[in-house]
Amino acid sequence: MRTRLVERARDGDEVAFTELLGLDGSRCYAIAFRILRDVVRAQDAVQQAFLLAWRELPRLRDPEAFSPWLHRLLVNACYEEHRRHRRWSSRIRALPIEGPISADPTISVDDRDTLDRAFLRLTPQHRAVFVLHHYSGLPVAEIADIVGVPVGTVKSRLHHAIRALRAAIVADSQVESTEARLA
């Protein structure tokens, strides 16, 4: 069914393309959000990937390769969105924000926040392979094809992403324990 939809969309059928996006849209948004960690930027990246997919679809030779091809477009759109945001945000200075007076009693929210802070420290390239592997469950070889790098590079990025996440979480917990002792 998907192959037939791709063939129809490749021939200019907008309804078929819309159906394809309906099949892959939620997953694409979830991947983009996990890479970019921002709702609006993820939506922008997905929209850019879909626009490019519509424009480039007639050039897709193998309809069976639609999903990896779309994911490749999406990851590249995420990289571009990250670059665009970094250029803009590099000229903005963040002001310190006072934290809550008492500790949050909801430990799972605290854990999620710690993980989010750690994840933000990763480069988009490390986030992309981490998300594609651990969230989407894709094998390393398919990730290499999507991202456009050798398999060894994907393995290396996964390894470094996990090490960086662990180090960031440990550093965060040490800062929190130091702050608690000083308070």
Side-chain angles (χ1 to χ4, degrees), residues 18-64:
T18 303
E19 287 181 45
L20 276 172
L21 297 185
L23 295 173
D24 285 327
S26 295
R27 185 174 199 146
C28 286
Y29 173 75
I31 290 170
F33 177 77
R34 282 168 174 78
I35 292 171
L36 295 169
R37 311 306 284 181
D38 182 272
V39 171
V40 175
R41 290 173 47 218
Q43 291 169 342
D44 288 347
V46 169
Q47 184 176 16
Q48 288 300 333
F50 287 173
L51 287 171
L52 188 58
W54 175 250
R55 202 172 321 132
E56 298 296 323
L57 190 57
R59 293 186 183 97
L60 179 66
R61 292 182 187 148
D62 182 10
E64 300 278 330

Side-chain angles (χ1 to χ4, degrees), residues 9 12 26 40 43 45-46 52 55 82 119 131 134 145 149 153 167-168 177:
S26 295
V40 175
Q43 291 169 342
V46 169
L52 188 58
R55 202 172 321 132
H82 175 74
F119 206 73
V131 168
H134 291 287
D145 186 45
V149 297
T153 302
S177 67

Side-chain angles (χ1 to χ4, degrees), residues 118 121-122 159-169:
R121 293 179 185 170
L122 297 179
H159 172 75
H160 289 291
I162 291 169
R163 281 186 53 204
L165 283 172
R166 284 182 183 147
I169 290 169

Side-chain angles (χ1 to χ4, degrees), residues 65-103:
F66 177 77
S67 287
W69 175 76
L70 180 61
H71 289 144
R72 181 179 315 117
L73 295 177
L74 177 65
V75 167
N76 287 333
C78 288
Y79 290 166
E80 181 56 36
E81 186 61 33
H82 175 74
R83 281 190 293 274
R84 186 176 21 260
H85 179 73
R86 187 179 62 209
R87 282 191 303 265
W88 176 80
S89 65
S90 68
R91 294 182 289 249
I92 295 177
R93 190 176 69 200
L95 299 174
I97 299 174
E98 295 296 323
I101 294 172
S102 63

Side-chain angles (χ1 to χ4, degrees), residues 138-151:
L138 297 177
V140 173
E142 191 171 340
I143 296 169
D145 186 45
I146 289 170
V147 178
V149 297
V151 171

